[in-house]
Amino acid sequence: MNIELAHVDITTLNVDAIVNAANSSLLGGGGVDGAIHRAAGPELLAACQELRADLPDGLPVGEAVATAGFNLPARYVIHTVGPNRHAGQTDPAMLSSCFTASLALAEDLGLTTIAFPAISAGVYGWDAADVARIGLTALAAHDGNLDTATVALFSGSALDVWTEQARRLGITTN
């Protein structure tokens, strides 16, 4: 699978699926989650409310579910809940699971292209270099039919961090 790193707004990408760094309620929030909900339109919230019928306690950390992309260029939104470091969720395996569960769901849906944000690197308090290392390791280890995983980064400095971590890990990116 090709791994691309880009300083780009994830809501503008024409890929099969974008990954939403959601909160467990799936009902929208700030950061990437809020941007995706705004760009997708009110149908996304309605679809997430339907998912909640089967998830009365919300989506657990590290798991993933999908909805349509509605007004987004992406056909699907894969929602995953990253660990919140401020709430004591410091296990790297929880963060890695966000990436691997999203990739597995994309495979189940027969997709070939996917885009990720820097899950948990924002208000959830994880160090950007740790998120990059964990995310890149999970992406590089994926063995399946996906052609391309793009990591959509919100700033040039975030792109620099991910590029440096890829170099340190010996992972080739485009």
Side-chain angles (χ1 to χ4, degrees):
M1 176 175 70
N2 294 319
I3 301 172
E4 297 179 348
L5 305 177
H7 174 199
V8 64
D9 177 347
I10 197 168
T11 67
T12 66
L13 293 177
N14 188 9
V15 292
D16 292 331
I18 61 172
V19 175
N20 180 16
N23 61 54
S24 64
S25 78
L26 299 177
L27 302 179
V32 171
D33 190 15
I36 289 171
H37 272 267
R38 284 189 298 278
E43 298 89 354
L44 181 60
L45 178 58
C48 288
Q49 289 170 329
E50 287 180 27
L51 286 174
R52 283 300 305 272
D54 294 327
L55 298 164
D57 297 326
L59 183 65
V61 171
E63 293 186 18
V65 294
T67 62
F70 301 103
N71 295 333
L72 294 163
R75 291 188 300 150
Y76 293 94
V77 177
I78 295 176
H79 308 267
T80 190
V81 179
N84 185 338
R85 197 162 198 69
H86 303 301
Q89 297 170 337
T90 59
D91 183 356
M94 293 172 78
L95 181 55
S96 181
S97 181
C98 294
F99 289 89
T100 58
S102 296
L103 292 165
L105 183 52
E107 292 283 354
D108 289 347
L109 293 169
L111 308 182
T112 59
T113 57
I114 188 170
F116 287 87
I119 299 167
S120 291
V123 297
Y124 279 14
W126 280 69
D127 177 74
D130 290 341
V131 172
R133 181 180 43 77
I134 293 164
L136 286 163
T137 300
L139 293 174
H142 182 73
D143 184 24
N145 294 320
L146 286 164
D147 291 332
T148 305
T150 301
V151 181
L153 299 157
F154 59 90
S155 69
S157 60
L159 176 59
D160 291 344
V161 169
W162 281 71
T163 301
E164 174 60 18
Q165 289 301 311
R167 186 194 64 73
R168 287 182 182 197
L169 294 167
I171 296 172
T172 302
T173 63
N174 299 332

